[in-house]
Amino acid sequence: MPAIRPRTAWVTGVLASAVAASLLTSLPANAVVGEKAKDGTYAFTAKLDIGGGQRSCSAALVEEEWLITAANCFADNPGQGAKVAAGAPKLKTTATIGRTDLTRDGGTVANVVELVPRDDRDLVMARLDKRVTGVAPVGIGFNASLPGEDLWVSGYGRTKDEWVPDRLHYAKYTVGAVKDTSLSLTGKSNDASVCQGDTGGPAFREIGGRYELVGVHSMSGQGGCFGSDEADTNKDASDARVDDIAGWIQTVSSRNLLSRANWKNAAHMASGYFTGNSAGGKRRMDLFVVWKDGSASLYQGADHNDPKYPFSAEYKVAAAGSYWKDARAVTGGSFTDSGSDGITVRWANGKLSTYTHVDQNGFHDEKEHAYSDTWKRARLITAGRYTANNLRDDLLVLWDDGSTSMYSDTDTNGVRKESQLTKADKSWTEAAQITSGEFTGKKTADLVIRWNDGNTSLFPGVDTAGYHDRIRIRPDGSAWKNAQILTVGSFTAAANRPNDILIRWADGNVSYYPGVDASGTHSEVQLVG
């Protein structure tokens, strides 16, 4: 159902055969007759121009560099199969994203430079030659649609009275039969119809103000579309399903996610469940990064299990030059009883504060705990489960004189109940990084310390009484002396125990070690470099 603009006799022939064809057999899905979208509405819907006007399709932005659309749009013989070769498209393809009214400026215009087809359905991923900013990608639904569920559909195809419309249209549909790779849709209103030009457009649900992709337009009856037979009243459509391949979509769209950044410029990293958990609890931990220019990124943990791609999206949550340039120590942890992690920061001016919630939209509910010269001496901080409180993490601090303290009742009201774990110790001033995790199965969390000489030690089961044992997982002089930033999290799988250690190296490479335990680190997974 590649929407083909009828500017040639060949296109007219396709349209004529489409009118006579039966639904879901040989008719490729093609435009949404419905309401005109207001500016900025469903901005993730993209318009595709294939071959300089030879074909026209719709698509959906699923990541800043990736669209998802119908494979039929790029097939040699649209309507006679959706097989497409991987690689660059045969015809030059231009995508317009974030421009509800095509006659206006704004949004992003980019070229499609790579196709990654899905062989078992009419579906293809399309990589752009530039990142799309200012438009929130549509989420990927992992929950199967159910018969009777209402969905929204959108597209740039023809309407009942427009051959080449300049504005995005949308309509509400109801799900009918749900098959292994497809689902059928019926319009909720009399004028709802998927027409030529809508091929590859999204069908999506709305959940609390966010949108979740359910299907991609593949075939339709086109009843009521401009140019169709007046006697043709078939307005049903068929979409390719995405819920059962949501992990594959994330894997493809996150391939070059981390490599886009210069990781030598990462100043701080913190892990946690910031963006919430996914359906079924499959999502891995998120990663918060503060860059040297004061900007900040939130990398959302992926829902699939491919160890090479632990994150599925990047959200810019602070711009260059922001107040984050004054952060001196950062840690992620659970500081409320909400189940969502936050971020605690020691600032250059001696302020210690916590953001109780962090998500794609930024930082929320900052609570100031302390503001004094004393906290300027807090060189390294980490949050972990060091007491019996399983709902909130505790804060462990390494001071500039080599002493360490634990604050075991840290919450939104402040840091309280200080326990001094060690007195001033010159040797501890050689500690370069500290981070907390679950490695040994003790009742409380373990502390990881990376020293300047590369020695890296694991202190199992730290509590208010101090450190009870020490396990060296990297010897003196090891390559870990080049590890600039360490953070611990579940990057291999959700709630992975033992935890993984993620490292940003001095040369800008990024890797992690899955399942660290008392026997040390095991295989390394290279993410960047």
Side-chain angles (χ1 to χ4, degrees), residues 38-91:
K38 296 179 181 179
D39 289 346
T41 303
Y42 312 138
F44 51 78
T45 310
K47 169 67 179 292
L48 297 181
D49 183 322
I50 303 170
Q54 292 185 43
R55 306 180 188 181
S56 177
C57 280
S58 299
L61 184 73
V62 293
E63 203 277 329
E64 288 184 344
E65 288 186 19
W66 287 90
L67 301 174
I68 191 168
T69 187
N72 237 314
C73 295
F74 302 94
D76 291 337
N77 296 301
Q80 299 181 14
K83 294 296 183 182
V84 176
K90 291 183 178 180
L91 299 176

Side-chain angles (χ1 to χ4, degrees), residues 330-365:
V330 180
T331 185
S334 177
F335 304 110
T336 67
D337 298 339
S338 67
S340 179
D341 290 339
I343 292 174
T344 292
V345 188
R346 198 276 285 176
W347 304 94
N349 60 6
K351 182 174 75 168
L352 182 76
S353 62
T354 291
Y355 295 94
T356 61
H357 180 58
V358 182
D359 60 19
Q360 298 92 324
N361 299 313
F363 314 95
H364 310 279
D365 301 326

